[in-house]
């Protein structure tokens, strides 16, 4: 990577954790770069720890050299003046400002506790992020555990290979001639990826179930049943439509990429279209065509007519979860906590309505502990967190 490309990545990192949002393409470029090598992700994580959205007029101009010394001590970097490093000076100055803000008490340490007589970090340390695991129910009723990095072969009739678990991906064989259905159950605190017999990919989010035929690629219609959330990248096949069926909405495609949210008991079902074209049909038979870059939401609480439904522009935060990232773009704290609750397997209770309606912007890798996520949110949101008896209480003072 040359100096110009490196500088661009530094700029994208800074913008991604401030109020200057990235486009879908820019966020994809940043995600690809973060996944390229561990050092890139570590550099990004160093910034995330100190994020703040405080307005410029609320702080005095910092002593950059002094602040960078504090940054160096925190992240273990050599003690060098950022003024001597022209390429990264913008990022280093920003990091310095973040450290100065942290020294005046903007970190979450003042905003949450774990109950009388306990230390927050000791209690929250037990709340780990989710991981890659799932359970597969076979046609004969057998339950098979799928674990990250645990190789496993799944056989069908006459010991023919049906699927192989490789890393954190379940990969199906093609043309195996098997019959029946598989159900993939992804519990809260997990996500899993599968490659179906037709080479379509499905990323299945926490608290979700996906049901599909084993002879998927030999069927006239490629049909799956979803409860929860999943991102699909559909292999092109105009002769065999790909249909995602949910309780309130069906999504039909022939070769596209889209995200579907259909949690049981939720207020709405939603489709966000990233590539191509899909047709969405409600349970009254109303149909609507969607174009890439849009999303459509249907209420689960009342009968809707599709042409009158809410349609909005697609953003990366609609499907960033599949890349292992939390992305919140001016999102209500109540909606953010729905994601946090499923991923960290904790119950969340709002002590007052004021906290529910607060909005937050930022992004963070999903492999961080809950305590880090709370720090991140607290840097720019005036709330108090209390964690006790496996429940996170959120209050706006």
């Amino acid at each position: 990577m040359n100096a110009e490309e490196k500088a661009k990545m530094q700029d994208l990192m800074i913008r991604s954790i401030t109020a200057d949002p990235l486009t879908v393409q820019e966020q994809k470029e940043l995600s690809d770069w973060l996944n390229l090598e561990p050092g890139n992700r570590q550099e990004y994580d160093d910034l995330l720890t100190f994020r703040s959205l405080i307005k410029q007029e609320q702080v005095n101009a910092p002593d950059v050299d002094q602040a960078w010394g504090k940054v160096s001590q925190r992240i273990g970097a050599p003690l060098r003046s950022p003024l001597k490093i022209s390429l990264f000076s913008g990022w280093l100055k920003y990091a310095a400002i973040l450290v100065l803000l942290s020294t005046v008490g903007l970190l979450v340490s003042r905003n949450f506790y774990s109950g009388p007589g306990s230390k927050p970090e000791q209690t929250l340390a037990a709340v780990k992020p989710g991981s890659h695991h799932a359970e597969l129910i076979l046609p004969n009723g057998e339950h098979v555990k799928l674990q990250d990095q645990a190789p496993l072969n799944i056989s069908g009739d006459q010991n023919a290979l049906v699927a192989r678990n490789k890393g954190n991906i379940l990969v199906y064989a093609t043309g195996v001639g098997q019959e029946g259905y598989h159900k993939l159950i992804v519990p809260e605190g997990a996500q899993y990826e599968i490659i179906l017999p037709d080479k379509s990919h499905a990323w299945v989010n926490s608290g979700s179930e996906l049901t599909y035929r084993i002879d998927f690629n030999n069927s006239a219609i490629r049909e799956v049943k979803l409860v929860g959330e999943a991102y699909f990248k559909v292999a092109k096949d105009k002769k065999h439509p790909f249909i995602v069926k949910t309780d309130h909405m069906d999504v039909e495609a022939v070769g596209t990429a889209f995200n579907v949210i259909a949690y049981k008991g939720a207020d709405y079902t939603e489709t966000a279209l990233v590539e191509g074209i899909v047709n969405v049909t409600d349970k009254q038979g109303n149909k609507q065509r969607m174009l890439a870059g849009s999303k459509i939401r249907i209420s689960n609480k009342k009968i809707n007519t599709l042409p009158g439904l809410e349609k909005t522009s697609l953003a990366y935060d609609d499907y960033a979860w599949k890349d292992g990232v939390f992305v919140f773009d001016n999102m209500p704290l109540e909606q953010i906590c729905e994601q946090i609750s499923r991923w960290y397997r904790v119950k969340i209770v709002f002590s007052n309505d004021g906290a529910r309606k607060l909005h937050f912007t930022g992004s963070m890798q999903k492999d961080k502990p809950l305590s880090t996520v709370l720090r991140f949110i607290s840097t720019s949101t005036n709330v108090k967190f209390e964690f006790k008896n496996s429940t996170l209480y959120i209050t706006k003072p």
Side-chain angles (χ1 to χ4, degrees):
M1 177 175 286
N2 59 37
E4 183 178 351
E5 293 171 333
K6 181 67 174 179
K8 179 181 180 181
M9 289 301 107
Q10 296 283 359
D11 177 66
L12 292 181
M13 283 194 295
I14 293 171
R15 288 175 53 205
S16 72
I17 60 174
T18 66
D20 186 7
L22 303 183
T23 65
V24 171
Q25 180 59 36
E26 287 173 335
Q27 184 62 63
K28 184 178 185 304
E29 290 180 22
L30 178 59
S31 294
D32 290 344
W33 182 76
L34 292 176
N35 293 327
L36 192 61
E37 56 182 80
N40 296 346
R41 189 173 297 280
Q42 183 59 54
E43 187 174 350
Y44 187 55
D45 290 344
D46 292 337
L47 275 179
L48 288 175
T49 305
F50 306 110
R51 179 194 177 277
S52 176
L53 291 176
I54 192 167
K55 294 180 179 180
Q56 183 66 35
E57 61 266 23
Q58 291 178 297
V59 296
N60 297 322
D63 182 333
V64 174
D65 289 323
Q66 179 183 6
W68 176 239
K70 297 177 181 178
V71 174
S72 301
Q73 294 174 6
R74 281 182 180 267
I75 65 177
L79 184 57
R80 297 179 294 179
S81 170
L83 300 179
K84 298 178 182 178
I85 309 174
S86 60
L87 176 60
F88 304 122
S89 61
W91 174 76
L92 296 178
K93 290 178 181 179
Y94 183 77
I97 293 173
L98 291 174
V99 170
L100 287 178
L101 293 177
S102 71
T103 63
V104 297
L106 292 178
L107 291 180
V108 73
S109 58
R110 69 172 186 165
N111 282 339
F112 79 90
Y113 61 97
S114 294
S118 61
K119 296 181 179 180
E121 291 300 330
Q122 290 179 338
T123 304
L124 288 171
V127 184
K128 303 298 183 182
S131 62
H132 296 282
H133 65 274
E135 183 175 64
L136 187 67
I137 301 180
L138 306 182
N140 63 4
E142 180 183 355
H143 290 233
V144 178
K145 299 291 185 182
L146 304 176
Q147 298 290 340
D148 185 14
Q149 305 301 327
L152 177 67
N153 291 338
I154 298 172
S155 300
D157 299 338
Q158 299 178 351
N159 293 321
L161 180 65
V162 173
R164 177 178 288 115
N165 194 53
K166 301 168 62 175
N168 60 348
I169 305 176
L170 181 64
V171 182
Y172 279 83
T174 59
V176 295
Q178 303 294 314
E179 295 183 353
Y181 289 83
H182 279 184
K183 176 183 284 189
L184 183 76
I185 301 176
V186 181
E188 292 191 348
Q191 68 180 65
Y192 220 78
E193 179 184 353
I194 66 173
I195 300 178
L196 295 162
D198 70 334
K199 303 304 180 184
S200 293
H201 286 228
W203 289 260
V204 187
N205 206 353
S206 300
S208 303
E209 297 180 1
L210 190 68
T211 305
Y212 45 90
R213 293 168 61 110
I214 304 174
D215 58 344
F216 190 75
N217 60 327
N218 295 324
S219 303
I221 297 177
R222 299 174 289 168
E223 183 177 286
V224 302
K225 169 69 175 177
L226 173 67
V227 177
E229 182 173 13
Y231 182 93
F232 299 92
K233 190 170 183 62
V234 177
K236 292 184 178 179
D237 186 349
K238 292 183 178 179
K239 296 182 179 180
H240 302 89
F242 188 104
I243 300 177
V244 180
K245 299 186 72 68
T246 75
D247 287 342
H248 299 274
M249 174 191 294
D250 293 345
V251 184
E252 179 181 346
V254 294
T256 54
F258 56 96
N259 192 78
V260 179
I261 301 175
Y263 281 102
K264 191 173 291 294
D267 291 337
Y268 63 87
T269 299
E270 180 180 279
T271 298
L273 183 58
V274 180
E275 300 173 7
I277 297 173
V278 300
N279 291 319
V280 177
T281 306
D282 65 17
K283 292 307 179 181
Q284 287 71 49
N286 302 299
K287 181 178 291 188
Q288 187 171 110
R289 172 162 290 196
M290 290 181 62
L291 301 179
S294 64
K295 63 179 179 180
I296 190 168
R297 177 177 292 185
I298 183 172
S299 172
N300 296 344
K301 305 297 185 181
K302 59 182 179 180
I303 297 176
N304 286 275
T305 301
L306 269 172
L309 291 179
E310 174 189 0
K311 291 189 295 182
T312 57
S313 298
L314 175 71
Y316 183 64
D317 59 343
D318 291 308
Y319 60 94
W321 64 268
K322 82 175 184 66
D323 296 326
V325 186
F326 285 125
V327 177
F328 309 125
D329 183 8
N330 195 31
M331 187 178 294
L333 191 56
E334 184 175 24
Q335 189 175 341
I336 291 172
C337 286
E338 290 177 1
Q339 299 185 38
I340 292 175
S341 176
R342 283 192 291 265
W343 186 240
Y344 290 94
R345 305 174 300 281
V346 296
K347 181 179 179 181
I348 298 179
V349 175
F350 285 89
S351 299
N352 52 40
D353 288 336
R356 295 176 187 272
K357 299 176 182 179
L358 290 173
H359 285 65
F360 177 78
T361 295
S363 61
M364 170 172 280
Q365 299 299 313
K366 291 174 62 178
D367 61 357
K368 301 304 176 186
L370 178 59
S371 57
T372 302
V373 177
L374 298 184
R375 277 199 184 90
F376 186 45
I377 293 174
S378 183
T379 55
S380 61
T381 306
N382 184 26
V383 293
K384 182 176 72 173
F385 298 102
E386 180 184 0
F387 186 77
K388 61 181 181 180
N389 300 326
S390 300
T391 299
L392 180 65
Y393 297 89
I394 304 178
T395 304
K396 184 179 183 299

